[in-house]
């Protein structure tokens, strides 16, 4: 095949921005340019109708990507039955997934009913931990679950573990910690410090802003919460004896991937810049590791098949934004636990993006795009300002205790609902093209069988904060339409 370039624009005079603006003025017939053509994110950041070609403000620090498997295709299991959870994980790995997140809850309400090292080992029986990374989602039981996972790995230094210790997100979502949150930070850091030498490849903490996202908060606050959690966990590890140069690279950043893929792309790129700035201030040479999980607040109960579009868009945004690991939920997650079919759909959406759309062939596809470079810079600055605001209150715990984070998230949620109410924003299948027929889809509805497990309570009074309660944006409008 010929590689010759055919100059399609040859012979045409290059258009100028002045010519374009003159045509715009004629078209909008005296109306305000800003009102007609300038839109804004939920945080008030301007989005213009046209951008000049841009140069990357600074190269993003990205880990080397394998073009065949450019990111970690991650699945999440929360089935209350350990045997069923094991079957789901093995089926997902055989079906193309590379790693798994195992949610743990001895009560079986919010995860797999596991309460011991033996129980976790049984749930992971057949999973080769040197080949398939396993991450945990255990809330305040995180330190104990980390020890259980370490036992399952049998001291293999090549085990690919992600302990994902994250007591701050558990506090933010639930509104209280069983004992002082400072004690939970110390406990988590102590366990992480003890395990770090045995498992040199393990991720220790997850500094996630997803609790803000799921409560309806904006991208700036999500990034600020993430950054403040990162600093809090780095400090806790330092106090536990892990040097900052070793601690920072082993804290994974957690962000939500939304159906608005442009915002998702820019948010993930902004997170890398924020991480790089914090690392530079601490004198650490490290590259951010980002785990993106699909938004649950964007999912609809009505006509749940439309959720496939949202999840695919979220996966696209996370992949182009440079996520190191991506977890997409099932299209039925707003209704119940996913069936094998829903889990396969979630895996296949990523496989198509990876293997057929070839999204991993370019390290940073957004580089140089005027719109995305500008939005990345805007979100990085807004996220940094949110981080500074949290730190000025005394850190993440103080900001949660004061209620400032919850109030800001609630105010943003009100603006989101108002935009949907006014039809400025639309929800496919709910407020836009609602299906008049009731759509039935299958979900898993297992009966939880609690097991005996250790208490997460630590000595001292509980820390109580205004909670970041998860929401679904479609919920009020689904109720009105039924």
């Amino acid at each position: 095949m010929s590689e010759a370039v055919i100059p399609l624009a040859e012979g045409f005079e290059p258009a100028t921005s002045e010519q374009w603006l003159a045509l715009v003025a004629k078209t909008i017939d005296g109306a305000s340019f800003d009102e007609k053509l300038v839109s804004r994110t939920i945080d008030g950041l301007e989005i213009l109708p046209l951008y000049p070609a841009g140069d990357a403000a600074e190269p993003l620090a990205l880990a080397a990507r394998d073009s065949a498997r450019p990111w970690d295709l991650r699945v999440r299991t929360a089935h209350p039955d350990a045997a069923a959870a094991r079957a789901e994980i093995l089926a997902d790995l055989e079906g193309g997934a590379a790693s798994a997140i195992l949610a743990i809850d001895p009560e079986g309400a919010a995860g797999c009913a596991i309460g011991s090292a033996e129980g976790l080992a049984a749930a992971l029986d057949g999973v080769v931990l040197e080949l398939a990374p396993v991450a945990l989602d255990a809330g305040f039981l995180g330190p104990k679950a980390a020890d259980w996972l370490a036992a399952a790995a049998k001291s293999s230094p090549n085990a690919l573990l992600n302990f994902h210790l994250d007591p701050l997100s558990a506090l933010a979502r639930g509104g209280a910690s069983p004992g002082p949150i400072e004690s939970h930070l110390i406990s988590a850091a102590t366990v992480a410090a003890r395990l770090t030498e045995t498992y040199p490849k393990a991720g220790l903490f997850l500094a996630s802003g997803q609790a803000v996202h799921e409560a309806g908060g904006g991208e700036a606050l999500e990034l600020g919460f993430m950054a403040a959690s990162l600093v809090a966990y780095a400090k806790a590890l330092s106090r536990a004896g892990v040097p900052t140069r070793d601690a920072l690279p082993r804290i994974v950043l957690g962000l939500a991937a939304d159906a608005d893929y442009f915002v998702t792309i820019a948010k993930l790129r902004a997170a890398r810049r924020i991480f790089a700035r914090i690392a530079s201030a601490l004198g650490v040479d490290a590259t951010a590791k980002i785990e993106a999980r699909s938004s649950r607040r964007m999912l609809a109960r009505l006509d749940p098949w439309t959720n496939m579009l949202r999840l695919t868009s979220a996966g696209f945004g996370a992949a182009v934004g440079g996520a190191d690991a991506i977890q997409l939920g099932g299209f039925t997650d707003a209704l119940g636990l996913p069936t094998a079919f829903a889990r396969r759909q979630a895996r296949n959406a990523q496989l198509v993006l990876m293997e057929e759309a070839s999204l991993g062939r370019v390290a940073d596809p957004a580089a140089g795009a005027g719109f995305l470079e500008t939005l990345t810079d805007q979100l990085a600055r807004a996220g940094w300002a949110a981080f500074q605001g949290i730190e000025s209150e005394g850190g993440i715990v103080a900001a949660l205790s004061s209620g400032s984070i919850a109030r800001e998230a609630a105010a943003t949620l009100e603006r989101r609902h108002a935009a949907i109410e006014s039809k400025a924003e639309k929800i496919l299948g709910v407020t836009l093209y609602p299906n008049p027929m009731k759509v039935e889809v299958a979900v898993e509805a297992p009966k939880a069988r609690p097991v005996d497990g250790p208490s997460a309570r630590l000595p001292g009074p509980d820390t109580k904060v205004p909670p970041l309660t998860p929401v679904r944006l479609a919920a009020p409008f689904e109720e009105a339409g039924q």
Side-chain angles (χ1 to χ4, degrees):
M1 292 179 64
S2 172
E3 297 294 331
V5 176
I6 302 174
L8 296 178
E10 187 175 0
F12 291 90
E13 289 294 326
T16 65
S17 59
E18 289 77 14
Q19 290 173 321
W20 179 79
L21 285 171
L23 287 173
V24 168
K26 182 179 179 180
T27 302
I28 63 177
D29 194 24
S32 167
F33 180 89
D34 286 352
E35 291 180 6
K36 283 285 187 180
L37 297 177
V38 177
S39 60
R40 287 169 176 78
T41 70
I42 199 68
D43 291 320
L45 304 178
E46 284 189 347
I47 298 178
L48 303 177
L50 184 69
Y51 289 84
D55 295 323
E58 53 187 274
L60 285 183
L62 294 165
R65 275 185 157 191
D66 178 354
S67 60
R69 297 288 290 191
W71 66 83
D72 183 338
L73 195 168
R74 188 160 288 180
V75 292
R76 183 177 186 270
T77 299
H79 199 291
D81 182 73
R86 173 181 176 272
E88 286 185 346
I89 292 172
L90 293 177
D92 286 329
L93 293 174
E94 290 172 4
S99 66
I101 301 170
L102 179 60
I104 294 176
D105 175 15
E107 296 296 318
C112 189
I114 293 173
S116 65
E118 294 76 19
L120 182 59
L124 296 179
D125 185 30
V127 178
V128 181
L129 296 176
E130 290 81 3
L131 298 176
V134 170
L136 298 175
D137 186 353
F140 290 115
L141 278 179
K144 291 181 173 61
D147 274 332
W148 301 342
L149 181 59
K154 300 177 181 177
S155 299
S156 170
N158 292 317
L160 304 173
L161 311 177
N162 283 290
F163 299 124
H164 273 13
L165 297 161
D166 190 12
L168 292 172
S169 287
L171 171 66
R173 283 192 300 266
S177 61
I181 187 61
E182 291 80 5
S183 297
H184 284 279
L185 284 167
I186 292 169
S187 173
T190 301
V191 169
R194 174 163 47 79
L195 297 175
T196 186
E197 292 186 9
T198 306
Y199 298 103
K201 296 182 178 181
L204 304 177
F205 279 86
L206 177 68
S208 177
Q210 189 141 16
V212 167
H213 173 90
E214 299 298 355
E219 289 75 32
L221 186 60
E222 182 183 355
L223 288 167
F225 192 100
M226 174 209 76
S229 297
L230 171 67
V231 170
Y233 291 149
K235 287 180 178 178
L237 284 169
S238 179
R239 289 192 294 267
V242 180
T244 304
R245 66 177 181 276
D246 298 326
L248 209 63
R250 299 178 72 172
I251 301 174
V252 177
L253 305 182
L255 291 167
D258 197 66
D260 186 339
Y261 47 82
F262 283 132
V263 170
T264 297
I265 292 167
K267 180 171 65 177
L268 266 62
R269 298 176 84 243
R272 290 194 179 277
R273 292 191 180 171
I274 291 172
F275 180 92
R277 187 165 183 179
I278 291 173
S280 176
L282 295 173
V284 177
D285 183 13
T287 300
K289 296 183 181 69
I290 298 178
E291 177 190 86
R293 300 187 190 183
S294 60
S295 165
R296 294 179 71 89
R297 80 178 187 200
M298 71 177 178
L299 300 180
R301 288 177 181 268
L302 295 180
D303 200 1
W305 298 102
T306 60
N307 290 328
M308 289 187 179
L309 302 175
R310 300 180 183 98
L311 290 164
T312 303
S313 294
F316 175 88
V320 174
D324 299 281
I326 302 174
Q327 183 263 322
L328 297 185
F331 74 98
T332 59
D333 280 356
L335 298 166
L337 291 176
T339 61
F341 171 74
R343 298 183 71 84
R344 179 165 66 87
Q345 289 294 324
R347 295 193 309 269
N348 286 354
Q350 287 206 58
L351 289 172
V352 169
L353 293 171
M354 182 184 295
E355 298 178 3
E356 297 185 31
S358 299
L359 294 187
R361 287 185 178 272
V362 178
D364 183 12
F371 167 44
L372 286 170
E373 289 290 2
T374 301
L375 188 56
T376 296
D377 184 66
Q378 289 174 318
L379 283 175
R381 292 176 185 277
W384 188 262
F387 165 57
Q388 287 180 313
I390 291 171
E391 291 299 297
S392 69
E393 288 195 51
I396 187 70
V397 173
L400 283 170
S401 299
S402 74
S404 63
I405 293 176
R407 286 193 298 273
E408 184 174 343
T412 305
L413 177 61
E414 285 186 15
R415 295 199 298 274
R416 292 187 191 279
H417 280 154
I420 298 169
E421 187 74 41
S422 68
K423 306 259 189 315
E425 298 289 338
K426 300 176 179 63
I427 303 174
L428 183 63
V430 180
T431 66
L432 178 66
Y433 307 129
N435 191 337
M437 307 294 292
K438 187 173 182 180
V439 180
E440 299 285 354
V441 294
V443 295
E444 292 284 339
K447 183 178 179 181
R449 293 182 174 83
V451 300
D452 291 333
S455 172
R457 177 160 295 283
L458 296 177
D462 296 354
T463 298
K464 296 183 178 180
V465 304
L468 293 172
T469 306
V471 300
R472 280 190 315 104
L473 296 180
F477 306 95
E478 290 171 334
E479 294 169 3
Q482 288 180 326

